[in-house]
Amino acid sequence: SSSSSKSSSRVNAFGKSFPRSRQAQNHHQRQRRQRQTLQTPCASSKKRPKKQRENIYTMPDIGTTPYQMKDDLPAKGPEFDLSQKKQPQPYFGANDENKEATTEIDMSPAMFDKLITIFRSKDEDEWIGLLASSEKWYDLCDGLFARIEERVEKVDEDPAVKNRDEEELLLARLLRKLKETHARCTSYRDLLQELLEKDDDVLEGFVPSRRGEFTAEFFSYVTHKIERAHEMKDVELTANLARIASRVLGIVEQFDEASRDQQLLDTAAENFQELLKVETIQDMDAKIDELASTGKLDPALMLTAAKAYMSVKESPYVEEEVKDVMVHLYSKMRDTVGRQQPKEVRILKLVLSVDDPIEQRNMLEQAFTPGPELENVDGNEDMLWCAPESMLQTIDVILKTREQSVVKTSLGGDAARMMTPEIIERMQGLKNLIEDQ
């Protein structure tokens, strides 16, 4: 056919065609395919390398966020400028490294101005109560003083002030008086803490030795502290403060009563020196009993002995044997004075020391049962009884004393130990129980 002859022949320069051999045809077809490949390459003829999918769970750990890696470093996430974050308002003393920072206390000038207004609206006699009742006063005082000084310096710049000279004088006086009150409250706080840390048997010597510090303002300060502790429902602190206040008040009144008669103090000092001259413990006990029987074991002698006992007990230079003798002397004197108290007071103290109401009822029944009165039963017990009417009368006296905030020296000072709110509540309960029976 013409098609087969065309594909298998070639034309020479003279127009004549000559047949191709099979080998020549194959070679010619290969050359033609190569030319077509070079001129129009096919995109599908070249295979692309297969890209492997990255597994983020097998990648190196760069944190909680699987950022893509670049130059072996994790890409940076979003940046936050923390300096632009709204910071709390700085307060007075915030830069003090030695003072624990707390943002709970408002130290702004506006708050100090409110405090200034409060103090200016109160009488100076009321400032003690404000300072004693405040739990944060010692955190605020320096800032308040600084704010008052600042207002004094800038009084000319305050458009709200009409009479600048008068305002400057008033602020300066307020600052001076507040600093004085602050200093007194600080001394009261330290004295009260010292009292709480003292042993009860040392108080009778400690209080007279520092009598000048126990002023009416000190007891007012303690009263405000008791009220504040009661408001905070701190039962233990309330009881401790009430106990120490009543105890100190009783010692102060005993000391003042004895101090009115210098001759009485001189006699007490002589009797105490005679006690120290005895050679044995048995002679000392006999001498104390003799003084008690003659009425010479009075508050003046007890105060003299208490001072000596405190100085010996707290001194590191006194020999232990001397301390032991003084402990025995003072303990024997206190025990003897306790036996001189009215028996109703002694019974009442014993009943109030019991918490169980049923046991209290049983003890009262035994105390109201008439019988022989014996002392030193088994070496340390007394057998006493009293009439219910006399017990009610004693309770009424103590409750009335509580209302008047006065401790009767006729009760030997021990009534002061029963003046805590819890004891008063128990005493009222005993009164109701006796009246019902």
Side-chain angles (χ1 to χ4, degrees):
S1 63
S2 60
S3 59
S4 60
S5 61
K6 182 178 179 180
S7 60
S8 60
S9 62
R10 61 177 181 168
V11 179
N12 59 11
F14 299 99
K16 294 183 180 181
S17 59
F18 300 94
R20 295 177 184 272
S21 64
R22 177 63 64 181
Q23 184 178 4
Q25 290 181 5
N26 293 337
H27 177 72
H28 175 72
Q29 289 178 357
R30 285 196 300 268
Q31 287 182 345
R32 186 174 60 183
R33 284 196 299 268
Q34 290 177 359
R35 285 194 300 268
Q36 290 177 351
T37 302
L38 293 175
Q39 292 176 2
T40 58
C42 179
S44 61
S45 63
K46 186 177 181 180
K47 294 184 179 180
R48 296 180 180 179
K50 184 177 180 181
K51 185 178 179 180
Q52 295 182 352
R53 177 178 293 181
E54 295 178 344
N55 188 349
I56 62 174
Y57 300 102
T58 60
M59 293 173 60
D61 184 13
I62 60 173
T64 57
T65 305
Y67 290 114
Q68 296 294 328
M69 305 293 289
K70 181 179 181 181
D71 297 333
D72 296 330
L73 292 175
K76 290 185 178 181
E79 296 182 356
F80 299 95
D81 188 2
L82 298 180
S83 62
Q84 301 299 323
K85 183 180 179 181
K86 185 177 180 181
Q87 300 292 334
Q89 185 175 7
Y91 57 91
F92 187 86
N95 298 326
D96 189 355
E97 297 179 355
N98 297 326
K99 184 174 182 180
E100 184 179 0
T102 170
T103 56
E104 295 180 358
I105 303 178
D106 185 3
M107 295 288 183
S108 64
M111 190 278 302
F112 288 130
D113 290 340
K114 291 180 180 179
L115 287 180
I116 293 173
T117 302
I118 291 175
F119 280 108
R120 296 180 72 168
S121 64
K122 300 288 185 179
D123 295 333
E124 293 182 21
D125 296 339
E126 301 178 79
W127 291 359
I128 290 290
L130 294 177
L131 270 58
S133 302
S134 175
E135 298 292 333
K136 300 179 180 178
W137 166 251
Y138 289 97
D139 296 319
L140 296 169
C141 58
D142 291 337
L144 178 60
F145 297 155
R147 178 57 180 170
I148 298 177
E149 292 176 354
E150 180 183 7
R151 286 183 55 172
V152 171
E153 295 174 357
K154 298 182 178 180
V155 66
D156 293 335
E157 304 175 8
D158 191 350
V161 177
K162 297 181 180 179
N163 191 333
R164 292 183 170 85
D165 293 337
E166 180 182 2
E167 179 69 9
E168 183 178 356
L169 291 175
L170 291 176
L171 287 174
R173 183 181 183 277
L174 175 67
L175 178 61
R176 177 172 55 85
K177 290 293 184 180
L178 268 180
K179 286 186 175 181
E180 292 175 357
T181 305
H182 168 70
R184 295 200 306 275
C185 282
T186 302
S187 64
Y188 298 153
R189 178 196 63 177
D190 297 340
L191 179 58
L192 179 59
Q193 184 62 35
E194 194 171 356
L195 288 172
L196 292 172
E197 295 174 356
K198 291 287 183 182
D199 294 334
D200 184 73
D201 57 353
V202 179
L203 290 178
E204 292 183 349
F206 175 79
V207 174
S209 66
R210 299 175 61 174
R211 171 65 183 89
E213 300 180 44
F214 296 101
T215 62
E217 190 176 66
F218 167 77
F219 287 106
S220 175
Y221 173 86
V222 177
T223 301
H224 287 293
K225 297 296 289 185
I226 294 174
E227 293 175 351
R228 179 58 180 170
H230 180 70
E231 292 174 359
M232 299 298 293
K233 298 182 180 179
D234 191 335
V235 179
E236 182 178 359
L237 180 59
T238 303
N240 288 338
L241 291 176
R243 176 189 60 82
I244 203 68
S246 300
R247 185 82 172 98
V248 171
L249 181 59
I251 298 174
V252 166
E253 291 187 342
Q254 288 185 5
F255 176 78
D256 292 346
E257 183 67 25
S259 300
R260 294 189 181 98
D261 190 345
Q262 185 60 39
Q263 182 62 35
L264 189 63
L265 293 177
D266 294 340
T267 302
E270 294 175 1
N271 291 331
F272 186 71
Q273 291 298 325
E274 292 181 4
L275 281 172
L276 297 179
K277 292 178 182 179
V278 298
E279 296 181 357
T280 64
I281 295 296
Q282 292 76 12
D283 293 341
M284 182 181 291
D285 293 345
K287 184 63 177 179
I288 292 174
D289 293 336
E290 179 185 347
L291 292 173
S293 61
T294 58
K296 295 181 180 180
L297 195 59
D298 52 16
L301 181 56
M302 289 300 302
L303 291 173
T304 304
K307 289 182 180 180
Y309 171 75
M310 183 195 70
S311 60
V312 169
K313 182 179 180 179
E314 296 186 347
S315 174
Y317 306 105
V318 179
E319 297 180 358
E320 292 299 325
E321 294 182 358
V322 177
K323 289 185 178 182
D324 293 340
V325 172
M326 188 59 67
V327 167
H328 177 82
L329 170 63
Y330 187 58
S331 300
K332 172 63 177 177
M333 293 178 67
R334 293 186 66 184
D335 182 65
T336 304
V337 170
R339 294 181 184 276
Q340 292 180 331
Q341 295 177 355
K343 58 182 180 180
E344 292 81 5
V345 174
R346 298 172 62 186
I347 295 174
L348 182 60
K349 289 169 56 179
L350 179 61
V351 175
L352 289 175
S353 64
V354 177
D355 296 331
D356 189 2
I358 298 179
E359 188 174 354
Q360 286 182 345
R361 182 191 296 269
N362 295 334
M363 294 176 68
L364 285 176
E365 291 179 356
Q366 295 178 5
F368 296 154
T369 302
E373 294 187 349
L374 303 175
E375 294 185 357
N376 291 327
V377 178
D378 296 333
N380 58 358
E381 291 184 358
D382 296 339
M383 303 295 293
L384 304 173
W385 74 275
C386 69
E389 295 79 10
S390 60
M391 177 64 74
L392 285 175
Q393 184 178 2
T394 301
I395 294 177
D396 289 336
V397 170
I398 296 178
L399 293 177
K400 185 177 180 181
T401 299
R402 166 70 174 180
E403 295 175 358
Q404 296 176 350
S405 299
V406 176
V407 179
K408 298 290 185 180
T409 56
S410 60
L411 298 181
D414 281 297
R417 303 177 186 176
M418 297 185 286
M419 303 302 283
T420 62
E422 290 75 15
I423 295 297
I424 292 297
E425 184 177 354
R426 289 186 188 181
M427 196 178 305
Q428 187 65 51
L430 288 180
K431 179 182 177 181
N432 297 335
L433 178 61
I434 296 173
E435 289 176 345
D436 293 340
Q437 296 296 325

